[in-house]
């Protein structure tokens, strides 16, 4: 035992470094019981819990922890924007509309109310007035299809539906918007 109390030599086993914790003259440390059952002599009884019928919120076995505030907000945001996102993807990536074709009145109303009205520069995009919403190839990136505002003066100008969604999320969900956008959008 004397060797265990002396300083360890280089290359000595690790257990010798902590040998002072296991000295026979140290006071015994009470051990926690791992299995339930009646306490043995010298052990205090576990604290008694009231019957579950008396608890305000009785514990339910197998229920998950409540979601984090962001995860709950994230799910709500996704439920909110998903119908519009699916509509836009259908408009842009299916053969539902050809290049240069204007949207039907129903789709146009959804795009104007749920997207274009939230664009950071909506007034600049609409200009003298809105005549229609059109799908066509982007003038610079010819492989990409995008949405265009067709104004009453005949000018048409593209707009980003993702910018509209970001602005909508920032307005409606200000406390969770930046994290949601960072996690769900490719570019800011």
């Amino acid at each position: 035992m004397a060797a265990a109390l002396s300083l360890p030599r280089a290359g000595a086993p690790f257990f010798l470094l902590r040998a002072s914790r296991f000295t026979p003259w140290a006071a015994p440390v009470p051990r926690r019981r791992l299995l339930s059952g009646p306490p043995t002599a010298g052990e205090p009884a576990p604290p008694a819990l009231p019957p579950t019928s008396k608890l305000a919120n009785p514990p339910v076995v197998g229920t998950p922890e409540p979601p984090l505030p962001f995860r709950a907000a994230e799910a709500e945001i996704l439920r909110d924007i998903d119908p519009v996102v699916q509509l836009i993807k259908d408009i842009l990536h299916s053969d539902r509309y050809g290049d240069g074709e204007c949207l039907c009145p129903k789709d146009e109303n959804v795009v104007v109310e749920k997207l274009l009205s939230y664009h950071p520069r909506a007034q600049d995009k609409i200009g003298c007035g809105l005549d229609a919403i059109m799908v066509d190839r982007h003038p610079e990136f010819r492989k990409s299809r995008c949405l265009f505002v067709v104004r009453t003066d005949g000018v048409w100008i593209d707009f980003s539906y993702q910018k509209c969604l970001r602005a909508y999320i920032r307005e409606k969900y200000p406390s969770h918007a930046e994290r949601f956008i960072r996690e769900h959008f490719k570019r800011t």
Side-chain angles (χ1 to χ4, degrees):
M1 186 56 101
L5 295 176
S6 65
L7 291 174
R9 300 180 315 273
F14 176 75
F15 70 90
L16 293 179
L17 295 174
R18 300 200 184 268
S20 61
R21 288 184 62 205
F22 303 108
T23 55
W25 56 85
V29 178
R31 297 179 67 180
R32 291 182 27 194
R33 294 180 58 84
L34 298 177
L35 301 173
S36 61
T40 58
E43 261 187 57
L49 294 174
T52 56
S53 61
K54 303 277 184 188
L55 293 173
N57 293 320
V60 179
V61 177
T63 56
E65 292 282 321
L68 298 172
F70 173 73
R71 294 297 174 212
E74 176 183 43
E76 181 182 341
I77 295 168
L78 287 171
R79 278 191 305 273
D80 187 15
I81 67 171
D82 189 60
V84 175
V85 170
Q86 292 307 316
L87 174 66
I88 295 303
K89 286 182 177 182
D90 186 43
I91 290 170
L92 294 176
H93 303 297
S94 73
D95 58 355
R96 183 172 169 183
Y97 292 102
D99 290 347
E101 194 174 345
C102 291
L103 302 185
C104 72
K106 179 183 170 193
D107 290 344
E108 184 177 307
N109 285 339
V110 172
V111 169
V112 170
E113 291 173 12
K114 303 277 185 170
L115 291 175
L116 186 58
S117 61
Y118 292 96
H119 194 283
R121 294 182 15 233
Q123 292 304 318
D124 295 337
K125 299 287 182 178
I126 295 170
C128 60
L130 175 70
D131 188 33
I133 301 292
M134 179 179 71
V135 179
D136 207 346
R137 300 276 170 192
H138 192 277
E140 285 182 49
F141 311 104
R142 296 302 298 164
K143 292 184 179 183
S144 297
R145 287 170 41 110
C146 61
L147 297 171
F148 291 86
V149 173
V150 180
R151 299 195 288 202
T152 53
D153 62 358
V155 173
W156 44 284
I157 185 167
D158 66 316
F159 70 96
S160 168
Y161 78 90
Q162 290 196 1
K163 281 185 182 178
C164 300
L165 284 173
R166 287 186 200 108
Y168 172 78
I169 292 166
R170 284 182 178 117
E171 182 178 314
K172 190 163 180 188
Y173 305 97
S175 59
H176 299 288
E178 295 309 315
R179 181 174 176 189
F180 183 87
I181 290 167
R182 194 172 50 249
E183 291 184 13
H184 290 276
F185 286 83
K186 292 179 184 175
R187 293 178 241 133
T188 56

